[in-house]
Amino acid sequence: MKLGVIGLGFVGLSLASVLGSKGYKVSGFDSDKSKLNAIKNGIPPFYEPELEYTLKAALRKGFDTTHDLAKIINNCELIFITVGTPQQDDGSIDLSMIKSVASQSGSLLRDTKNKPIIIVKSTVVPGTTQNILLPILEKRSRKSANKDFAVVTNPEFLRESMAIADTKNPHVVVLGGTEGKFMDTVKRFYQKLHKNTPIIVTNSQTAEIIKYANNSFLATKISFINQISNMCQSIPGANVEDVAKTIGLDPRIGPLFLNAGPGYGGSCLPKDVKAMINFSNKIGIKPVLLDAVETVNRYQLENLLSTIKKATGKLKGKKITILGTAFKPDTDDIRDSVSIKLIEILLKHQATISVHDPKAIENTRSIFEDRVEYFDSINDALRGSECAVIMTSWKDYTRINNEHIKQMKRKVIVDTRRMLKKSKINARYFPIGIGLSGSF
Ligand code: UDX
C-alpha cells in the first residue's frame, strides 16, 4: 500500500517519518522546496525529540519527498492532508491552504485511474469536509465521492515535544465519513498500525467537532486551575500545587492539565479555542464558557506583569532575565508563546531584557533581533539581572541554585512554574499560585 502525505509540518512530517520507519512506502509533498531539501537530507526543519532519528530511519527505508503533487495523487492509495489551518485576525480559521490542496488534488484526480482515499488530518471547523472540501474535489475532478475516490476526516491529537511517541501510540483514532469499502480500508489500516487503540467511526462533522471539543476542554482545565492559582496567590500560605494534586486524585477530575502557569500558548490551544468561539457565534450558540476560558488566559499575562512589578518595582531601565521562550519544554516552537508576549510588554515598559532558552533562541532572535540579549548559559543570562522570570518548565531550570543566583544584581525570582525550593535559594522568590506569608 502506497501512502502520501501532503504538508510536511509537525503533523505531516511526524506521520510520514513514523510510517516510513515502520516500512510503509511513503511519499511526502510540500510546496516549500528548501524544506523538502532539508528533509531529504534527514534534517527536520524544527526541533522535536526523536524526529531526526525517525526521519533518518524512514529515509533509509525509502521515504521519498516530492514537489510534484501528481505523483501522490496518481500513485497513493491513502493520501493524508496535513497542511496548516492558521487563524485569521478575527479568530476564524484560514482554510486557504487546505482549499488550494483540495482544488489542485481535484484537478489531478480528473486524469487518473487511481481511486485514492483522501484523509483530512488538518484541524478544520465542523462542516468543512462535507460542505467545502468534498464539493471542491468533486467539481474539479468531475468524479463522485465514495465511487471514484473518498474523503475521511481523521483529526490529529499529537502533542509537540511528544510528536513521535503520540504518532506511534495515539490514545484514539477518529474516522469521520461515509461507511463502506473505503472507510473499511482506512479502518483496517489503523487497526494494523495501532493494535490497541480504540477507533471511533462517525460522520465527518462529528469528527471535526471532536478535535475542537478535545482542545477546548484541555484549555478549560488550564484556565480553571489558573483561576484557582490566582486565588491561592492572594491567600497567605495557600498553595495551588497541593490543590491540583488533591483534586486530581478524584477520578472524575484526573491529574493532567492542572499545572497552573502563565496561560496556555502554542500552535493549537489558543488558535482552536478562538476558532471554536468564532464558529459557535456563527451558528448562533453564545460561547459563554469558552469566552471565559480565553479571558482567564489573557488575564494570566496581566497578573504575571503585576507580580513582576510587585517583585521589582518600576520596570523602566531594569534588567530582567526571561528564562524560557518556547511555549513548552522540549520544543523550539515559540508560536503564541506567553513568554514572547511578556517580552513585548516589558520592552514597551523600557526594561532591558536578557533571554535564555535551551532550544528556542534562534526563533526568538527572529522576532526581537537586537532589541534583547540572548544567552546560551543561565549564568550569563542572569549576570547583572534585577529580576529573573521562569516562563518555561525546562528541566535545566530546576537546577538553578545560589551559584547562579549570585550573578544577579538584585536577587529576585518570579517563577510561573514553581520549579525552585524557596528554602534552598538565597533570593526573594515569587512563585505564582502560592500565597506569600502575611495576612489577608
Ligand atoms: C495541544 C494538545 O495537547 C494536542 O492534543 C493537540 O493535538 C495540539 O495542541 P501542544 O500544543 O503540543 O498540544 O501542547 P500542550 O502540551 O497541550 O500545551 C499547550 C499549552 O498549555 C502550553 O503553553 C503549556 O504550557 C500549557 N499548559 C499545559 C499549562 O499551562 N498547564 C498544563 O497543565 C498543561
Side-chain angles (χ1 to χ4, degrees):
M1 180 183 262
K2 186 132 175 74
L3 311 174
V5 179
I6 301 177
L8 297 176
F10 258 104
V11 173
L13 187 57
S14 303
L15 178 71
S17 302
V18 167
L19 292 173
S21 70
K22 284 178 180 283
Y24 286 89
K25 289 191 174 53
V26 187
S27 283
F29 166 90
D30 201 284
S31 53
D32 181 338
K33 275 190 178 161
S34 63
K35 197 189 212 180
L36 274 186
N37 249 337
I39 291 170
K40 211 185 299 177
N41 290 311
I43 304 162
F46 45 83
Y47 174 73
E48 174 65 35
E50 291 182 55
L51 177 59
E52 188 171 338
Y53 171 84
T54 314
L55 169 62
K56 284 184 168 144
L59 289 166
R60 276 197 303 278
K61 292 193 179 175
F63 166 43
D64 70 85
T65 56
T66 176
H67 196 60
D68 181 4
L69 195 56
K71 279 195 182 148
I72 307 259
I73 303 297
N74 293 338
N75 300 317
C76 298
E77 193 175 340
L78 301 186
I79 301 174
F80 299 88
I81 300 186
T82 50
V83 295
T85 46
Q87 81 188 45
Q88 313 195 79
D89 290 344
D90 66 353
S92 64
I93 189 169
D94 176 358
L95 294 172
S96 55
M97 265 189 278
I98 195 157
K99 279 184 5 208
S100 155
V101 166
S103 173
Q104 293 172 59
S105 304
S107 302
L108 292 163
L109 270 175
R110 194 192 304 175
D111 304 319
T112 183
K113 286 206 175 74
N114 192 24
K115 294 188 174 187
I117 304 171
I118 295 170
I119 301 179
V120 180
K121 272 204 157 300
S122 306
T123 301
V124 290
V125 289
T128 304
T129 307
Q130 195 62 30
N131 303 333
I132 299 178
L133 303 179
L134 247 172
I136 294 178
L137 285 159
E138 286 193 321
K139 189 168 167 223
R140 290 275 167 173
S141 64
R142 298 183 194 154
K143 289 182 175 176
S144 305
N146 301 316
K147 184 171 144 275
D148 306 308
F149 69 94
V151 181
V152 170
T153 312
N154 172 218
E156 177 56 58
F157 301 95
L158 67 74
R159 297 159 292 176
E160 286 186 30
S161 80
M162 299 288 284
I164 296 301
D166 285 351
T167 305
K168 285 181 177 164
N169 289 306
H171 68 275
V172 70
V173 170
V174 178
L175 302 177
T178 308
E179 299 243 20
K181 66 175 178 147
F182 289 110
M183 182 64 90
D184 289 344
T185 304
V186 184
K187 233 189 309 186
R188 273 198 306 276
F189 167 78
Y190 274 119
Q191 273 162 348
K192 192 170 163 225
L193 185 65
H194 308 304
K195 292 201 173 55
N196 301 314
T197 304
I199 297 181
I200 307 292
V201 180
T202 179
N203 56 40
S204 63
Q205 50 277 42
T206 308
E208 288 160 339
I209 200 167
I210 284 173
K211 165 73 191 209
Y212 281 103
N214 207 98
N215 272 356
S216 299
F217 191 79
L218 294 175
T220 304
K221 263 188 126 176
I222 298 170
S223 278
F224 174 82
I225 200 66
N226 281 340
Q227 177 114 61
I228 301 292
S229 163
N230 296 338
M231 292 177 71
C232 285
Q233 208 172 318
S234 298
I235 305 171
N239 188 332
V240 72
E241 290 283 324
D242 289 346
V243 177
K245 198 167 62 192
T246 313
I247 64 172
L249 290 172
D250 184 331
R252 293 167 300 177
I253 297 176
L256 304 178
F257 272 68
L258 287 178
N259 289 317
Y264 57 80
S267 65
C268 286
L269 296 195
K271 159 179 101 81
D272 289 355
V273 172
K274 284 197 180 80
M276 188 72 151
I277 289 173
N278 185 282
F279 178 75
S280 185
N281 278 319
K282 268 190 191 146
I283 58 171
I285 304 296
K286 213 169 168 351
V288 189
L289 178 62
L290 294 181
D291 273 339
V293 167
E294 249 228 312
T295 308
V296 170
N297 204 50
R298 233 182 6 257
Y299 279 168
Q300 214 50 15
L301 179 57
E302 287 175 31
N303 292 335
L304 173 59
L305 191 67
S306 315
T307 307
I308 296 171
K309 281 184 182 161
K310 204 158 143 198
T312 65
K314 249 174 120 187
L315 297 172
K316 191 172 175 184
K318 288 248 161 69
K319 180 168 175 177
I320 298 181
T321 304
I322 302 296
L323 296 170
T325 51
F327 83 96
K328 69 185 216 180
D330 295 316
T331 177
D332 61 359
D333 198 344
I334 56 167
R335 284 178 289 174
D336 251 313
S337 165
V338 184
S339 188
I340 299 296
K341 291 184 189 144
L342 176 67
I343 296 173
E344 264 154 15
I345 294 174
L346 293 174
L347 285 173
K348 275 202 190 116
H349 281 83
Q350 300 181 318
T352 305
I353 305 296
S354 61
V355 164
H356 173 271
D357 189 286
K359 292 281 177 209
I361 287 297
E362 215 179 295
N363 286 337
T364 310
R365 200 190 294 275
S366 71
I367 293 196
F368 296 110
E369 297 175 336
D370 57 3
R371 289 191 292 145
V372 315
E373 283 189 291
Y374 308 91
F375 294 95
D376 289 334
S377 94
I378 298 174
N379 261 344
D380 293 344
L382 289 179
R383 193 157 297 124
S385 176
E386 291 162 87
C387 175
V389 188
I390 301 179
M391 289 298 291
T392 313
S393 50
W394 285 102
K395 250 205 189 100
D396 304 30
Y397 301 148
T398 57
R399 293 191 276 268
I400 290 177
N401 56 36
N402 290 327
E403 283 305 302
H404 298 97
I405 292 169
K406 80 177 184 205
Q407 309 293 333
M408 299 178 75
K409 184 168 155 196
R410 285 181 68 219
K411 299 173 178 39
V412 177
I413 298 178
V414 174
D415 186 353
T416 69
R417 309 281 180 176
R418 297 165 303 283
M419 299 181 78
L420 305 181
K421 277 226 154 30
K422 190 177 177 171
S423 56
K424 291 211 166 146
I425 52 169
N426 174 24
R428 288 177 62 221
Y429 184 53
F430 297 82
I432 72 163
I434 298 181
L436 296 175
S437 47
S439 55
F440 284 94

Short mmCIF file of all heavy atoms in Angstrom, two decimals, residues 10-63:
data_model
loop_
_atom_site.label_atom_id
_atom_site.label_comp_id
_atom_site.label_asym_id
_atom_site.label_seq_id
_atom_site.Cartn_x
_atom_site.Cartn_y
_atom_site.Cartn_z
N PHE A 10 4.59 19.79 11.48
CA PHE A 10 4.69 18.93 12.66
C PHE A 10 3.95 17.62 12.47
O PHE A 10 4.52 16.53 12.63
CB PHE A 10 4.09 19.64 13.88
CG PHE A 10 5.14 20.18 14.77
CD1 PHE A 10 5.41 21.53 14.78
CD2 PHE A 10 5.86 19.34 15.57
CE1 PHE A 10 6.40 22.03 15.57
CE2 PHE A 10 6.86 19.82 16.38
CZ PHE A 10 7.13 21.19 16.38
N VAL A 11 2.68 17.72 12.09
CA VAL A 11 1.85 16.53 11.99
C VAL A 11 2.31 15.68 10.80
O VAL A 11 2.55 14.47 10.94
CB VAL A 11 0.35 16.92 11.85
CG1 VAL A 11 -0.50 15.70 11.57
CG2 VAL A 11 -0.12 17.61 13.11
N GLY A 12 2.46 16.31 9.64
CA GLY A 12 2.79 15.57 8.41
C GLY A 12 4.14 14.90 8.47
O GLY A 12 4.28 13.71 8.12
N LEU A 13 5.15 15.63 8.95
CA LEU A 13 6.49 15.05 8.97
C LEU A 13 6.59 13.95 10.03
O LEU A 13 7.24 12.91 9.80
CB LEU A 13 7.55 16.13 9.20
CG LEU A 13 9.00 15.65 9.06
CD1 LEU A 13 9.26 15.02 7.70
CD2 LEU A 13 9.98 16.80 9.30
N SER A 14 5.93 14.14 11.16
CA SER A 14 5.94 13.09 12.19
C SER A 14 5.27 11.84 11.65
O SER A 14 5.79 10.72 11.79
CB SER A 14 5.21 13.55 13.46
OG SER A 14 5.79 14.73 13.94
N LEU A 15 4.13 12.02 11.00
CA LEU A 15 3.38 10.88 10.45
C LEU A 15 4.20 10.16 9.37
O LEU A 15 4.36 8.93 9.42
CB LEU A 15 2.06 11.39 9.86
CG LEU A 15 1.17 10.34 9.20
CD1 LEU A 15 0.57 9.42 10.27
CD2 LEU A 15 0.04 10.99 8.40
N ALA A 16 4.72 10.94 8.42
CA ALA A 16 5.48 10.34 7.32
C ALA A 16 6.70 9.60 7.87
O ALA A 16 7.04 8.49 7.42
CB ALA A 16 5.91 11.42 6.33
N SER A 17 7.39 10.19 8.86
CA SER A 17 8.59 9.57 9.42
C SER A 17 8.26 8.27 10.15
O SER A 17 8.95 7.26 9.99
CB SER A 17 9.30 10.53 10.38
OG SER A 17 9.63 11.72 9.71
N VAL A 18 7.19 8.31 10.95
CA VAL A 18 6.83 7.09 11.70
C VAL A 18 6.41 5.99 10.72
O VAL A 18 6.88 4.84 10.82
CB VAL A 18 5.71 7.38 12.74
CG1 VAL A 18 5.11 6.09 13.28
CG2 VAL A 18 6.26 8.23 13.88
N LEU A 19 5.55 6.34 9.76
CA LEU A 19 5.08 5.31 8.82
C LEU A 19 6.25 4.78 7.99
O LEU A 19 6.40 3.57 7.80
CB LEU A 19 4.00 5.88 7.90
CG LEU A 19 2.67 6.24 8.58
CD1 LEU A 19 1.75 6.97 7.60
CD2 LEU A 19 1.98 4.99 9.12
N GLY A 20 7.11 5.70 7.52
CA GLY A 20 8.26 5.29 6.72
C GLY A 20 9.20 4.41 7.52
O GLY A 20 9.71 3.39 7.02
N SER A 21 9.42 4.76 8.79
CA SER A 21 10.35 3.98 9.62
C SER A 21 9.79 2.58 9.90
O SER A 21 10.52 1.66 10.22
CB SER A 21 10.67 4.70 10.93
OG SER A 21 9.52 4.70 11.74
N LYS A 22 8.47 2.44 9.82
CA LYS A 22 7.86 1.12 10.02
C LYS A 22 7.83 0.31 8.73
O LYS A 22 7.27 -0.77 8.68
CB LYS A 22 6.42 1.28 10.53
CG LYS A 22 6.33 1.66 12.00
CD LYS A 22 4.87 1.85 12.40
CE LYS A 22 4.73 2.22 13.86
NZ LYS A 22 4.87 1.08 14.77
N GLY A 23 8.36 0.89 7.64
CA GLY A 23 8.47 0.13 6.40
C GLY A 23 7.37 0.39 5.39
O GLY A 23 7.35 -0.23 4.32
N TYR A 24 6.42 1.29 5.71
CA TYR A 24 5.40 1.62 4.70
C TYR A 24 6.06 2.42 3.58
O TYR A 24 7.01 3.16 3.82
CB TYR A 24 4.29 2.49 5.32
CG TYR A 24 3.35 1.73 6.23
CD1 TYR A 24 3.63 1.60 7.59
CD2 TYR A 24 2.18 1.17 5.74
CE1 TYR A 24 2.77 0.92 8.43
CE2 TYR A 24 1.32 0.49 6.58
CZ TYR A 24 1.62 0.36 7.92
OH TYR A 24 0.76 -0.31 8.77
N LYS A 25 5.53 2.31 2.37
CA LYS A 25 6.04 3.12 1.25
C LYS A 25 5.37 4.48 1.32
O LYS A 25 4.15 4.59 1.11
CB LYS A 25 5.68 2.46 -0.08
CG LYS A 25 6.44 1.19 -0.36
CD LYS A 25 6.21 0.78 -1.82
CE LYS A 25 7.06 -0.41 -2.20
NZ LYS A 25 6.92 -1.55 -1.30
N VAL A 26 6.16 5.50 1.64
CA VAL A 26 5.57 6.82 1.86
C VAL A 26 6.20 7.86 0.94
O VAL A 26 7.42 7.91 0.79
CB VAL A 26 5.78 7.28 3.34
CG1 VAL A 26 5.03 8.58 3.61
CG2 VAL A 26 5.35 6.22 4.32
N SER A 27 5.34 8.71 0.35
CA SER A 27 5.83 9.88 -0.40
C SER A 27 5.31 11.11 0.31
O SER A 27 4.11 11.19 0.63
CB SER A 27 5.25 9.90 -1.81
OG SER A 27 5.90 8.99 -2.61
N GLY A 28 6.19 12.09 0.52
CA GLY A 28 5.78 13.32 1.19
C GLY A 28 5.86 14.50 0.22
O GLY A 28 6.83 14.64 -0.51
N PHE A 29 4.80 15.31 0.22
CA PHE A 29 4.79 16.50 -0.63
C PHE A 29 4.79 17.75 0.25
O PHE A 29 4.12 17.80 1.28
CB PHE A 29 3.53 16.51 -1.51
CG PHE A 29 3.26 17.85 -2.16
CD1 PHE A 29 3.80 18.13 -3.41
CD2 PHE A 29 2.51 18.83 -1.51
CE1 PHE A 29 3.59 19.38 -4.01
CE2 PHE A 29 2.30 20.07 -2.10
CZ PHE A 29 2.83 20.34 -3.35
N ASP A 30 5.55 18.76 -0.17
CA ASP A 30 5.43 20.07 0.46
C ASP A 30 5.71 21.11 -0.62
O ASP A 30 6.51 20.86 -1.52
CB ASP A 30 6.42 20.22 1.62
CG ASP A 30 5.97 21.32 2.57
OD1 ASP A 30 6.13 22.51 2.22
OD2 ASP A 30 5.44 21.00 3.66
N SER A 31 5.04 22.27 -0.51
CA SER A 31 5.24 23.29 -1.56
C SER A 31 6.55 24.05 -1.34
O SER A 31 7.03 24.73 -2.23
CB SER A 31 4.06 24.26 -1.57
OG SER A 31 3.87 24.76 -0.28
N ASP A 32 7.14 23.92 -0.13
CA ASP A 32 8.37 24.65 0.19
C ASP A 32 9.59 23.79 -0.19
O ASP A 32 9.90 22.80 0.48
CB ASP A 32 8.34 24.95 1.70
CG ASP A 32 9.55 25.74 2.17
OD1 ASP A 32 10.59 25.70 1.48
OD2 ASP A 32 9.44 26.39 3.23
N LYS A 33 10.29 24.23 -1.26
CA LYS A 33 11.38 23.40 -1.78
C LYS A 33 12.56 23.29 -0.81
O LYS A 33 13.19 22.25 -0.69
CB LYS A 33 11.88 23.97 -3.11
CG LYS A 33 11.08 23.47 -4.28
CD LYS A 33 11.72 23.84 -5.60
CE LYS A 33 10.89 23.27 -6.74
NZ LYS A 33 11.13 23.90 -8.02
N SER A 34 12.87 24.39 -0.10
CA SER A 34 14.03 24.33 0.79
C SER A 34 13.74 23.39 1.97
O SER A 34 14.63 22.66 2.45
CB SER A 34 14.44 25.73 1.27
OG SER A 34 13.40 26.27 2.02
N LYS A 35 12.49 23.38 2.41
CA LYS A 35 12.09 22.46 3.47
C LYS A 35 12.23 21.01 2.98
O LYS A 35 12.78 20.15 3.68
CB LYS A 35 10.63 22.74 3.81
CG LYS A 35 10.14 22.21 5.11
CD LYS A 35 8.65 22.40 5.13
CE LYS A 35 8.06 22.66 6.44
NZ LYS A 35 6.61 22.82 6.37
N LEU A 36 11.78 20.77 1.75
CA LEU A 36 11.87 19.42 1.18
C LEU A 36 13.32 18.96 1.10
O LEU A 36 13.64 17.81 1.40
CB LEU A 36 11.29 19.40 -0.23
CG LEU A 36 9.78 19.19 -0.36
CD1 LEU A 36 9.40 19.05 -1.82
CD2 LEU A 36 9.32 17.96 0.41
N ASN A 37 14.19 19.90 0.71
CA ASN A 37 15.61 19.57 0.60
C ASN A 37 16.20 19.15 1.92
O ASN A 37 16.94 18.16 2.01
CB ASN A 37 16.38 20.80 0.09
CG ASN A 37 16.86 20.56 -1.30
OD1 ASN A 37 17.01 19.39 -1.71
ND2 ASN A 37 17.11 21.61 -2.04
N ALA A 38 15.88 19.94 2.96
CA ALA A 38 16.39 19.62 4.29
C ALA A 38 15.89 18.23 4.71
O ALA A 38 16.66 17.38 5.18
CB ALA A 38 15.94 20.68 5.29
N ILE A 39 14.60 18.00 4.51
CA ILE A 39 14.00 16.72 4.93
C ILE A 39 14.67 15.55 4.18
O ILE A 39 14.99 14.53 4.78
CB ILE A 39 12.47 16.76 4.68
CG1 ILE A 39 11.82 17.75 5.65
CG2 ILE A 39 11.85 15.37 4.84
CD1 ILE A 39 10.37 18.06 5.38
N LYS A 40 14.88 15.77 2.89
CA LYS A 40 15.51 14.73 2.07
C LYS A 40 16.89 14.35 2.63
O LYS A 40 17.33 13.22 2.55
CB LYS A 40 15.70 15.30 0.66
CG LYS A 40 15.62 14.25 -0.42
CD LYS A 40 15.94 14.81 -1.80
CE LYS A 40 14.98 15.89 -2.24
NZ LYS A 40 15.30 16.50 -3.51
N ASN A 41 17.55 15.36 3.25
CA ASN A 41 18.87 15.12 3.83
C ASN A 41 18.81 14.71 5.30
O ASN A 41 19.82 14.74 6.01
CB ASN A 41 19.75 16.35 3.66
CG ASN A 41 20.11 16.54 2.20
OD1 ASN A 41 20.55 15.59 1.54
ND2 ASN A 41 19.89 17.73 1.68
N GLY A 42 17.63 14.42 5.77
CA GLY A 42 17.49 13.93 7.14
C GLY A 42 17.52 15.03 8.20
O GLY A 42 17.73 14.76 9.38
N ILE A 43 17.28 16.28 7.77
CA ILE A 43 17.30 17.39 8.74
C ILE A 43 15.89 17.93 8.93
O ILE A 43 15.33 18.58 8.03
CB ILE A 43 18.23 18.53 8.25
CG1 ILE A 43 19.62 17.96 7.98
CG2 ILE A 43 18.29 19.67 9.25
CD1 ILE A 43 20.48 18.86 7.12
N PRO A 44 15.27 17.69 10.10
CA PRO A 44 13.93 18.23 10.32
C PRO A 44 13.99 19.76 10.38
O PRO A 44 14.94 20.31 10.94
CB PRO A 44 13.53 17.66 11.69
CG PRO A 44 14.48 16.55 11.97
CD PRO A 44 15.74 16.89 11.24
N PRO A 45 13.02 20.46 9.82
CA PRO A 45 13.05 21.93 9.82
C PRO A 45 12.74 22.54 11.19
O PRO A 45 12.70 23.75 11.33
CB PRO A 45 11.94 22.33 8.82
CG PRO A 45 11.43 21.07 8.24
CD PRO A 45 11.90 19.92 9.06
N PHE A 46 12.45 21.72 12.20
CA PHE A 46 12.18 22.23 13.55
C PHE A 46 12.66 21.18 14.54
O PHE A 46 12.91 20.03 14.15
CB PHE A 46 10.67 22.49 13.75
CG PHE A 46 9.82 21.37 13.24
CD1 PHE A 46 9.58 20.25 14.01
CD2 PHE A 46 9.29 21.40 11.95
CE1 PHE A 46 8.83 19.20 13.53
CE2 PHE A 46 8.53 20.35 11.46
CZ PHE A 46 8.30 19.25 12.25
N TYR A 47 12.80 21.59 15.82
CA TYR A 47 13.28 20.63 16.81
C TYR A 47 12.12 19.84 17.39
O TYR A 47 11.12 20.42 17.84
CB TYR A 47 14.04 21.36 17.94
CG TYR A 47 14.40 20.39 19.04
CD1 TYR A 47 15.40 19.45 18.85
CD2 TYR A 47 13.69 20.37 20.24
CE1 TYR A 47 15.70 18.51 19.82
CE2 TYR A 47 13.99 19.45 21.23
CZ TYR A 47 14.99 18.51 21.01
OH TYR A 47 15.27 17.59 21.97
N GLU A 48 12.24 18.56 17.39
CA GLU A 48 11.24 17.69 18.02
C GLU A 48 11.99 16.42 18.45
O GLU A 48 12.63 15.77 17.61
CB GLU A 48 10.13 17.37 17.01
CG GLU A 48 9.08 16.37 17.47
CD GLU A 48 8.23 16.85 18.65
OE1 GLU A 48 7.93 18.05 18.73
OE2 GLU A 48 7.88 16.01 19.50
N PRO A 49 11.94 16.06 19.76
CA PRO A 49 12.68 14.89 20.20
C PRO A 49 12.35 13.65 19.35
O PRO A 49 11.18 13.45 19.00
CB PRO A 49 12.20 14.70 21.65
CG PRO A 49 11.72 16.04 22.07
CD PRO A 49 11.19 16.72 20.85
N GLU A 50 13.35 12.87 19.03
CA GLU A 50 13.22 11.60 18.29
C GLU A 50 12.87 11.76 16.82
O GLU A 50 12.84 10.78 16.08
CB GLU A 50 12.14 10.68 18.90
CG GLU A 50 12.49 10.10 20.25
CD GLU A 50 11.38 9.17 20.73
OE1 GLU A 50 11.01 8.23 20.01
OE2 GLU A 50 10.87 9.42 21.83
N LEU A 51 12.59 12.99 16.38
CA LEU A 51 12.15 13.13 14.98
C LEU A 51 13.29 12.87 14.00
O LEU A 51 13.11 12.13 13.02
CB LEU A 51 11.54 14.53 14.74
CG LEU A 51 11.11 14.82 13.30
CD1 LEU A 51 10.07 13.81 12.81
CD2 LEU A 51 10.54 16.23 13.17
N GLU A 52 14.47 13.43 14.30
CA GLU A 52 15.57 13.27 13.36
C GLU A 52 15.91 11.78 13.17
O GLU A 52 16.06 11.30 12.05
CB GLU A 52 16.79 14.05 13.87
CG GLU A 52 17.90 14.08 12.85
CD GLU A 52 19.03 15.03 13.25
OE1 GLU A 52 18.80 15.94 14.06
OE2 GLU A 52 20.15 14.82 12.74
N TYR A 53 15.97 11.09 14.29
CA TYR A 53 16.28 9.65 14.26
C TYR A 53 15.23 8.89 13.44
O TYR A 53 15.56 8.06 12.58
CB TYR A 53 16.32 9.17 15.72
CG TYR A 53 16.42 7.69 15.89
CD1 TYR A 53 17.66 7.06 15.84
CD2 TYR A 53 15.27 6.93 16.12
CE1 TYR A 53 17.74 5.68 16.00
CE2 TYR A 53 15.36 5.56 16.28
CZ TYR A 53 16.60 4.95 16.22
OH TYR A 53 16.68 3.59 16.37
N THR A 54 13.96 9.22 13.69
CA THR A 54 12.87 8.51 13.00
C THR A 54 12.86 8.86 11.51
O THR A 54 12.65 7.99 10.65
CB THR A 54 11.51 8.87 13.64
OG1 THR A 54 11.65 8.79 15.06
CG2 THR A 54 10.40 7.94 13.21
N LEU A 55 13.10 10.14 11.20
CA LEU A 55 13.13 10.57 9.80
C LEU A 55 14.25 9.84 9.05
O LEU A 55 14.04 9.33 7.93
CB LEU A 55 13.34 12.10 9.74
CG LEU A 55 13.67 12.69 8.37
CD1 LEU A 55 12.53 12.45 7.38
CD2 LEU A 55 13.93 14.20 8.48
N LYS A 56 15.42 9.76 9.69
CA LYS A 56 16.56 9.10 9.03
C LYS A 56 16.25 7.62 8.77
O LYS A 56 16.58 7.08 7.71
CB LYS A 56 17.83 9.27 9.84
CG LYS A 56 18.39 10.69 9.67
CD LYS A 56 19.69 10.91 10.37
CE LYS A 56 20.28 12.24 9.90
NZ LYS A 56 20.99 12.95 10.95
N ALA A 57 15.60 6.99 9.76
CA ALA A 57 15.23 5.58 9.58
C ALA A 57 14.25 5.45 8.41
O ALA A 57 14.36 4.52 7.59
CB ALA A 57 14.60 5.04 10.87
N ALA A 58 13.31 6.40 8.31
CA ALA A 58 12.33 6.36 7.22
C ALA A 58 13.03 6.54 5.87
O ALA A 58 12.73 5.83 4.90
CB ALA A 58 11.28 7.45 7.43
N LEU A 59 13.97 7.48 5.82
CA LEU A 59 14.68 7.74 4.55
C LEU A 59 15.45 6.50 4.11
O LEU A 59 15.45 6.14 2.94
CB LEU A 59 15.64 8.93 4.71
CG LEU A 59 14.96 10.31 4.82
CD1 LEU A 59 15.95 11.36 5.30
CD2 LEU A 59 14.33 10.74 3.50
N ARG A 60 16.07 5.83 5.10
CA ARG A 60 16.81 4.60 4.77
C ARG A 60 15.88 3.54 4.18
O ARG A 60 16.26 2.76 3.33
CB ARG A 60 17.49 4.03 6.03
CG ARG A 60 18.84 4.68 6.35
CD ARG A 60 19.64 3.81 7.32
NE ARG A 60 18.94 3.55 8.56
CZ ARG A 60 18.90 4.39 9.59
NH1 ARG A 60 19.54 5.55 9.55
NH2 ARG A 60 18.23 4.08 10.68
N LYS A 61 14.62 3.55 4.65
CA LYS A 61 13.67 2.52 4.16
C LYS A 61 12.89 3.00 2.94
O LYS A 61 11.92 2.36 2.54
CB LYS A 61 12.72 2.14 5.29
CG LYS A 61 13.43 1.40 6.40
CD LYS A 61 12.46 0.75 7.37
CE LYS A 61 13.23 0.00 8.44
NZ LYS A 61 12.40 -0.57 9.45
N GLY A 62 13.28 4.15 2.38
CA GLY A 62 12.69 4.53 1.09
C GLY A 62 11.69 5.68 1.11
O GLY A 62 11.05 5.96 0.10
N PHE A 63 11.51 6.35 2.27
CA PHE A 63 10.62 7.52 2.31
C PHE A 63 11.13 8.54 1.30
O PHE A 63 12.28 8.95 1.35
CB PHE A 63 10.61 8.10 3.73
CG PHE A 63 10.01 9.49 3.84
CD1 PHE A 63 8.83 9.83 3.18
CD2 PHE A 63 10.61 10.47 4.64
CE1 PHE A 63 8.29 11.11 3.29
CE2 PHE A 63 10.08 11.74 4.76
CZ PHE A 63 8.91 12.07 4.08
#
